[in-house]
Amino acid sequence: MRIRPLVALSVTALTALALAGCSGSGTPDSSATPSPTAAACAFEAPAGTSSDAIEVSGSGADAVITVPADLEFAALERSVVTEGDGPELAVGDLVSVSYQIVDGVTGAAIEDSVSSPVGDGGTIPMLLDPESMSIFVAALECAPLGSQTVLAIPGSLLGEGASSMVVLAEATEEIPTTATGEAQDAVDGMPEVTLADDGKPSVTIPSGDAPTDVEISLLKKGDGPTVASGDTVVVQYEGVKWSDGSTFDGSWDRGTPTQFATTGVVPGFQQALEGQQVGSQVLVVIPPAFGYGTQEGHELQDETLVFVIDILAVQHAPQQ
């Protein structure tokens, strides 16, 4: 199998690339979501002489990585240092990750999960999406949760003139894929939301005219990190039209959460996310002026949109 180039060097760089690729007027894009049918390994990085030669002592932020001098990085290789006892990880899983990245030639530290500006210290929440988290998908997929793995990456996969890299990674725990916050009282006049056993929401539109301004109701209040402008969020969501209650978009039927920057969606959706805490479930009604009203010819141009959003995780936008 031909390995696609690994296009990013770290979580920080991956986040920056994701933000650079976002437009300012979209709703979540299903094309950016890993396919739930992609159960096989996306990168199929085998163990080899390079990855096996890298020594690791300790675990987490205290682990010490020793790269032999003049080690040849001939291909993308992944060795399991210690095997965990959790379920096998696959594309689309949402996990907390502890990692270190070092230069394969000098052994110098490049980045780690404790000091990374996108996290809140210790571990980083990651949706294992091969389009935006390629390095960590290659390091963690098809190994049990809790495994400590070392990934040897030749510089040729990272771009012309790039140095080889070593990634030490461990997925420490699974992150819930539904909002876990405390239930809040319903708000009169807002759509009614009922949840299936798996957490998928159904929305009943009230009688009467649609509102002319964005209306937000907190259905569950989480106690995790707060979402700020420009942050990348991982969410489950369901979107329906006020006009007939039909679903026009959502992550639930795709079988996995999705992720995007708060600045990469329509203004009403952005309002619903920013200032909320991870673990919250938010109901938002978005009139056309705060949705697709300015996009001439868009199929949702004249529609008032209703979203139920479960906020599962956040990676903070690196400060300039």
Side-chain angles (χ1 to χ4, degrees):
M1 179 179 118
R2 182 178 180 273
I3 301 293
R4 78 180 72 181
L6 301 184
V7 295
L9 300 182
S10 65
V11 176
T12 304
L14 285 163
T15 302
L17 287 173
L19 296 182
C22 290
S23 64
S25 58
T27 49
D29 182 358
S30 61
S31 66
T33 305
S35 168
T37 61
C41 300
F43 294 99
E44 298 180 354
T49 54
S50 296
S51 59
D52 285 347
I54 298 166
E55 297 181 1
V56 178
S57 60
S59 61
D62 297 325
V64 177
I65 304 169
T66 303
V67 182
D70 301 322
L71 180 65
E72 292 187 8
F73 289 74
L76 183 70
E77 297 177 355
R78 194 272 303 272
S79 294
V80 177
V81 180
T82 58
E83 187 168 296
D85 57 5
E88 187 170 280
L89 297 178
V91 167
D93 285 345
L94 179 60
V95 290
S96 295
V97 178
S98 171
Y99 71 88
Q100 294 185 49
I101 303 175
V102 302
D103 188 291
V105 175
T106 66
I110 296 174
E111 187 177 304
D112 63 73
S113 54
V114 173
S115 61
S116 172
V118 308
D120 292 288
T123 61
I124 305 293
M126 293 188 194
L127 181 65
L128 297 185
D129 176 358
E131 296 299 325
S132 61
M133 287 291 163
S134 55
I135 284 176
F136 295 100
V137 173
L140 296 169
E141 64 174 348
C142 300
L145 180 73
S147 298
Q148 186 185 47
T149 63
V150 62
L151 184 71
I153 310 174
S156 59
L157 291 179
L158 298 168
E160 185 176 354
S163 179
S164 56
M165 279 197 332
V166 173
V167 179
L168 178 66
E170 179 182 350
T172 58
E173 63 179 350
E174 293 181 291
I175 296 174
T177 53
T178 59
T180 57
E182 184 177 350
Q184 305 294 294
D185 293 336
V187 175
D188 291 340
M190 291 287 281
E192 180 181 350
V193 177
T194 56
L195 303 178
D197 290 343
D198 63 356
K200 180 180 178 180
S202 297
V203 180
T204 302
I205 304 299
S207 59
D209 295 334
T212 57
D213 204 353
V214 176
E215 294 190 358
I216 298 171
S217 173
L218 191 60
L219 303 181
K220 296 181 181 179
K221 182 174 176 56
D223 59 2
T226 299
V227 179
S229 181
D231 286 353
T232 294
V233 291
V234 181
V235 302
Q236 293 270 35
Y237 71 97
E238 188 79 356
V240 306
K241 301 175 185 177
W242 180 285
S243 60
D244 60 10
S246 64
T247 298
F248 66 89
D249 191 17
S251 63
W252 289 94
D253 289 339
R254 296 196 291 270
T256 181
T258 189
Q259 64 184 2
F260 46 82
T262 67
T263 50
V265 292
V266 294
F269 204 106
Q270 181 177 356
Q271 288 181 40
L273 292 170
E274 293 177 359
Q276 304 290 356
Q277 290 179 271
V278 169
S280 296
Q281 184 180 67
V282 182
L283 171 66
V284 59
V285 181
I286 306 175
F290 300 90
Y292 290 98
T294 61
Q295 298 189 29
E296 192 64 36
H298 195 287
E299 61 180 352
L300 299 173
Q301 181 180 5
D302 299 322
E303 293 283 354
T304 294
L305 312 177
V306 181
F307 285 97
V308 181
I309 311 164
D310 288 25
I311 304 174
L312 308 178
V314 62
Q315 290 186 4
H316 301 301
Q319 299 299 309
Q320 298 299 321

